[in-house]
Amino acid sequence: MKISTTLRLILVSLLHVTWVSSSDPCPEIKTLPIDFTQINGLWNIKSIVSRDTLSALKDLHYAYVKLSLGEKEGTIIQFFNPISESMTSGPFFLERVNDGTETLAYRDINQRERGLLLTFLQVHSDVLILSYQSNEFIKTSIIFVRSSTYPESELEHFKEWYKCKELHLQKEFSITDYAQKCYGLFKQEEFLEKTEENFTSWHLVAKSSSSMDLRYNVRILYTARLEISNKDGEYTLKEIITAPIDSNLLELKFGKSDQDGVAVMRFKTENSLLLLGVRTTTGRTLYLASKTPTVNQSDIKKFKAQALCFETKYNYFIPGSVREDDDGDEACADQLEKRVPINFRESVGKWILVVSAHKDTTTALKDALSSYGETDIVIVNDTVHLSHTSIYDGTINTLDDIEVEESTGRIIYKDSPTMTTATIHSVSANCILFSPEGPLLFLNCRVDHFAPMGEIGQFLKYATCRNFNKILIRQPASFLCSEMPAEVHTLDLEKIAGTWKLAAIASNILESENVVLPTEMQFTVNNEEVTITDGIWTKKAVKVENRRLQYSKFGDSWMEMRFHEPLGESLLTWIGNIKEKKISLFLFSKSGNAKPDELTRFKHFAACLSIRVVFLKE
């Protein structure tokens, strides 16, 4: 049985419920109240017990999971040695069973027909038990710990319980902190697709093996390289050492799939670097190679951490391969690692985007079109919520479905197909650094705080060190857009019904001369049906997302209307088609004469959206 399959069966029950009946003679497991902020995040596997064979796990020395569980659904991602049969397994998508009760149980969406139940039980803030059961019959159970500082008494209690349950087969892991050390260090790349040339040669700068290699120990002055060649879809990897002449240390042939116990994996890293993992019948090796003869100290430091997670204990570094004059770069690259992720509960409020840094021009140009960004951290019912608002092409975009991991300072953009994650670190009391997955960084500062050049300079130094050298600094005026009118959350049609007279309009499609502007707009409401007319045209509108209106302009082209608070004697509405980049902002009033503060608010909103005011009745 494959490791990934075995772990799927094992991890199908990462949370636990009090399924112990009163007649059960086994010791009852006492649980803490369900608290998703305590449960979600990274967990190390300490022990696995089962009625089924665990032989497929005999060579597995560590494993950990990332949990993202919620009231209705959840996901589990598993991690283990990157060169094992599967570097990660998942995400497995779960649906909650009997939600609204004190029981925290899920089923794998793709395994419904098997009737398998995953039940989760938190017995301590640092200890979690998962049981995998079918028809009240427990087959496998796992105990997870946050780190190596877990209470031993909980493990002893778990041992008593599983012996009583006759779960006789056990696999215990001695290493219990790899989740904290290894998460995010390895991301597998499609090796063959990345190697487009028929032949490539790389300067070898570091190597880590599961067995000792005396050929590196006995040589004092030498260079080494990796050569990769492709002939008709069959690849050859050569490890060559030169001292003073070429000598082949390894020649390995491989293809698209594992052959004869051979596996070769390429992991994502800097464009100029090659991180290559190799597994053969004799052991594992991790290579770090470069297009240039030398690399930064920070690259070597990261490689040492990767070698630990790769479980290769003999490290070799090519003499002269590390730059001697990059101490400043090393200190810069260490800045983020030395910071502690932010405490969300101490960071409540609005944080405005000040500087963004990118590795490639494409993302930088796209980000340049975004004139404003705001991240809002709030606590509702003792739960942290995070939302992000940005202005792009005159449109306000808000992301609300963002999951917060309080213990790690991470956020997950769940609306993204890849569930992109970002870690937030403190720069100072007034500025925070967003470090998402991918080639970009963001510096956000508090609404009432104009970032001094010292903080911006610190961010730029770190970004440049990491080769995020496409820098975009926002204008200080962007802070003023933090008080933009909020869109109504639920649209009350009765509040917009009637005739409204035009007081102001801003648009990116209307010219100031020879334009016939509507003098008024009328909304006729019949139950949930809305008819809109301005005296020239009449349209039927439909309600979408319970707060916006849509009407057909012509053919398949739709216009959308968004309404902003407050809805009273004035009506502020955004009308546009985002795809066609046609945006207008209208201010109506019952009398046709808006109050001075309403006109000021309208002009401010138009300026934040970067659209020009073409009519203003003052």
Side-chain angles (χ1 to χ4, degrees):
M1 181 182 294
K2 291 184 177 181
I3 291 177
S4 58
T5 303
T6 302
L7 283 183
R8 167 183 274 276
L9 297 178
I10 291 170
L11 298 180
V12 159
S13 50
L14 262 182
L15 273 165
H16 206 67
V17 296
T18 53
W19 31 256
V20 181
S21 64
S22 57
S23 60
D24 195 330
C26 296
E28 183 176 355
I29 298 180
K30 297 180 180 180
T31 66
L32 300 177
I34 296 173
D35 183 349
F36 290 112
T37 62
Q38 287 291 319
I39 293 171
N40 287 333
L42 295 171
W43 291 89
N44 299 278
I45 296 180
K46 177 57 183 174
S47 181
I48 302 172
V49 292
S50 179
R51 301 177 193 274
D52 299 324
T53 177
L54 298 177
S55 60
L57 307 179
K58 62 183 178 63
D59 295 324
L60 194 65
H61 300 101
Y62 74 90
Y64 61 95
V65 299
K66 182 179 181 182
L67 295 182
S68 300
L69 302 175
E71 295 287 351
K72 299 291 184 181
E73 57 190 12
T75 58
I76 302 175
I77 304 177
Q78 305 162 106
F79 303 87
F80 15 91
N81 190 307
I83 203 66
S84 59
E85 292 186 22
S86 179
M87 171 180 151
T88 61
S89 186
F92 302 129
F93 297 99
L94 311 177
E95 58 183 0
R96 191 171 176 191
V97 179
N98 298 324
D99 57 313
T101 71
E102 295 182 357
T103 296
L104 193 56
Y106 296 82
R107 282 194 177 91
D108 189 328
I109 292 176
N110 296 321
Q111 299 282 326
R112 289 192 188 99
E113 70 282 356
R114 299 184 62 187
L116 306 175
L117 190 67
L118 288 73
T119 55
F120 295 84
L121 174 68
Q122 189 165 22
V123 298
H124 184 274
S125 59
D126 293 324
V127 181
L128 185 69
I129 296 176
L130 160 66
S131 288
Y132 162 72
Q133 62 188 96
S134 176
N135 299 323
E136 303 294 327
F137 187 70
I138 300 173
K139 300 182 67 177
T140 302
S141 193
I142 310 172
I143 187 166
F144 298 91
V145 295
R146 287 282 188 196
S147 64
S148 57
T149 58
Y150 64 91
E152 289 283 351
S153 59
E154 295 295 345
L155 185 60
E156 293 303 317
H157 191 189
F158 177 69
K159 289 180 179 179
E160 293 177 13
W161 173 82
Y162 74 70
K163 289 178 181 178
C164 182
K165 290 291 183 181
E166 298 182 351
L167 301 172
H168 299 302
L169 301 174
Q170 181 198 16
K171 168 75 174 182
E172 186 165 331
F173 297 92
S174 59
I175 302 171
T176 53
D177 60 354
Y178 270 31
Q180 290 70 31
K181 291 180 179 179
C182 303
Y183 177 74
L185 282 183
F186 290 97
K187 294 176 185 177
Q188 190 173 347
E189 222 167 33
E190 292 295 332
F191 176 78
L192 300 176
E193 282 72 8
K194 279 289 182 179
T195 310
E196 298 175 354
E197 304 93 340
N198 289 331
F199 177 84
T200 56
S201 181
W202 301 75
H203 297 276
L204 183 62
V205 296
K207 168 185 174 179
S208 184
S209 297
S210 55
S211 57
M212 183 179 297
D213 191 339
L214 295 177
R215 294 168 297 185
Y216 280 89
N217 284 340
V218 299
R219 300 184 185 272
I220 301 174
L221 295 175
Y222 59 85
T223 60
R225 67 183 185 272
L226 292 181
E227 291 182 354
I228 304 172
S229 59
N230 172 20
K231 184 178 181 180
D232 300 327
E234 289 296 322
Y235 288 78
T236 301
L237 170 67
K238 290 184 180 181
E239 177 188 354
I240 301 171
I241 193 169
T242 302
I245 60 174
D246 286 358
S247 176
N248 274 15
L249 303 188
L250 172 72
E251 183 169 333
L252 188 66
K253 296 184 181 297
F254 62 95
K256 289 188 175 182
S257 58
D258 294 2
Q259 307 175 37
D260 302 323
V262 174
V264 178
M265 290 185 184
R266 177 174 180 163
F267 303 106
K268 291 184 179 179
T269 186
E270 303 291 340
N271 290 334
S272 61
L273 298 178
L274 173 70
L275 184 63
L276 200 65
V278 175
R279 185 189 71 225
T280 66
T281 55
T282 59
R284 296 178 303 277
T285 303
L286 186 67
Y287 295 102
L288 178 66
S290 173
K291 289 291 187 183
T292 60
T294 59
V295 297
N296 293 329
Q297 292 279 358
S298 56
D299 297 322
I300 296 298
K301 181 177 180 180
K302 185 176 181 180
F303 177 79
K304 290 178 180 179
Q306 290 166 326
L308 173 72
C309 301
F310 207 74
E311 298 182 293
T312 47
K313 59 182 180 180
Y314 297 98
N315 294 336
Y316 306 97
F317 304 99
I318 309 304
S321 64
V322 181
R323 298 181 191 131
E324 298 178 356
D325 58 348
D326 64 350
D327 293 340
D329 286 346
E330 180 185 9
C332 171
D334 286 344
Q335 288 179 20
L336 182 61
E337 296 178 19
K338 292 179 181 178
R339 293 194 190 103
V340 177
I342 70 165
N343 183 320
F344 285 105
R345 292 177 181 268
E346 294 178 357
S347 306
V348 170
K350 292 182 179 180
W351 301 82
I352 308 301
L353 177 62
V354 178
V355 189
S356 59
H358 306 260
K359 281 192 175 181
D360 59 77
T361 304
T362 301
T363 58
L365 289 175
K366 183 177 180 180
D367 189 45
L369 299 176
S370 178
S371 58
Y372 175 77
E374 169 191 307
T375 298
D376 200 7
I377 302 174
V378 298
I379 297 178
V380 180
N381 297 328
D382 200 36
T383 300
V384 177
H385 294 273
L386 188 145
S387 62
H388 182 73
T389 301
S390 61
I391 297 177
Y392 182 84
D393 280 346
T395 306
I396 299 177
N397 298 308
T398 301
L399 299 177
D400 293 312
D401 195 12
I402 302 175
E403 180 180 316
V404 173
E405 294 181 356
E406 288 193 71
S407 61
T408 61
R410 291 188 178 91
I411 58 175
I412 303 174
Y413 295 94
K414 297 184 70 175
D415 66 323
S416 168
T418 60
M419 295 183 71
T420 301
T421 63
T423 305
I424 310 179
H425 296 264
S426 296
V427 174
S428 67
N430 295 301
C431 295
I432 55 180
L433 172 67
F434 284 73
S435 182
E437 295 178 347
L440 68 164
L441 298 170
F442 298 108
L443 179 69
N444 285 35
C445 296
R446 288 196 179 275
V447 172
D448 56 353
H449 177 77
F450 291 90
M453 286 308 299
E455 290 175 340
I456 293 178
Q458 182 182 2
F459 171 81
L460 296 181
K461 180 181 178 183
Y462 173 74
T464 303
C465 170
R466 293 277 308 277
N467 294 321
F468 294 84
N469 49 23
K470 309 293 190 300
I471 307 295
L472 295 173
I473 300 178
R474 265 60 183 182
Q475 296 296 324
S478 66
F479 279 83
L480 302 177
C481 295
S482 62
E483 300 302 325
M484 290 182 297
E487 185 180 353
V488 298
H489 188 268
T490 302
L491 178 60
D492 184 348
L493 294 178
E494 295 302 323
K495 288 188 177 182
I496 67 169
T499 300
W500 299 86
K501 296 182 179 180
L502 181 65
I505 181 173
S507 177
N508 68 350
I509 56 175
L510 297 178
E511 298 294 336
S512 58
E513 298 179 359
N514 302 321
V515 175
V516 179
L517 298 174
T519 58
E520 63 182 33
M521 185 170 288
Q522 184 178 20
F523 296 87
T524 304
V525 178
N526 183 10
N527 293 325
E528 289 295 303
E529 295 183 353
V530 181
T531 302
I532 309 173
T533 181
D534 68 352
I536 300 175
W537 55 262
T538 300
K539 296 290 183 181
K540 293 284 187 180
V542 295
K543 196 174 182 182
V544 295
E545 299 181 8
N546 204 33
R547 61 176 178 171
R548 297 171 179 172
L549 296 180
Q550 275 188 355
Y551 61 87
S552 175
K553 185 180 178 185
F554 52 82
D556 295 330
S557 180
W558 286 80
M559 298 297 284
E560 185 174 88
M561 300 186 71
R562 304 180 182 183
F563 301 88
H564 296 270
E565 299 284 8
L567 294 179
E569 291 301 312
S570 64
L571 184 69
L572 180 59
T573 178
W574 177 100
I575 303 178
N577 182 306
I578 299 174
K579 186 176 181 180
E580 298 177 5
K581 297 183 179 180
K582 295 180 179 180
I583 308 296
S584 296
L585 190 66
F586 289 84
L587 177 64
F588 297 99
S589 69
K590 290 293 186 182
S591 64
N593 295 310
K595 298 177 181 178
D597 60 326
E598 292 175 337
L599 292 174
T600 300
R601 178 168 170 261
F602 172 83
K603 289 188 288 185
H604 172 66
F605 196 15
C608 288
L609 295 180
S610 299
I611 54 179
R612 183 171 55 87
V613 175
V614 295
F615 171 76
L616 193 67
K617 186 177 181 181
E618 298 188 81

